[in-house]
Amino acid sequence: MKRYQILRFVAKYATLTVCGILLYLFVAKYALAQRGYFAVGGEMFFLLLPVLYYIVATMIRDIIRDIKDRKKH
């Protein structure tokens, strides 16, 4: 991997991490207002945004590769 590819990879996942944290903070504040008490619920999944992105991107890449391989045979 070249240096710019590594920097691009790190920047993408750092951005996803920051977005996940900001979304979590926003939704946790909203959930606190709705519930009237502090609890942790589904809003925790926003913290997994980089992991979920990686899993979905890898699955889509594999599906596309399989489709292209099937057309070759």
Side-chain angles (χ1 to χ4, degrees), residues 41-69:
E43 63 268 13
M44 287 298 289
F45 285 107
F46 283 114
L47 296 176
L48 296 175
L49 191 61
V51 175
L52 296 174
Y53 176 84
Y54 176 79
I55 291 170
V56 171
T58 302
M59 284 176 45
I60 291 172
R61 209 174 306 123
D62 288 346
I63 290 169
I64 291 171
R65 188 180 317 129
D66 287 345
I67 291 171
K68 285 180 180 180
D69 287 345

Side-chain angles (χ1 to χ4, degrees), residues 24-44:
Y24 167 76
L25 292 173
F26 176 74
V27 175
K29 184 178 176 182
Y30 177 77
L32 175 63
Q34 288 294 315
R35 293 182 191 125
Y37 59 91
F38 179 76
V40 177
E43 63 268 13
M44 287 298 289

Side-chain angles (χ1 to χ4, degrees), residues 15-33:
T15 302
L16 285 169
T17 301
V18 170
C19 288
I21 291 169
L22 292 175
L23 283 169
Y24 167 76
L25 292 173
F26 176 74
V27 175
K29 184 178 176 182
Y30 177 77
L32 175 63

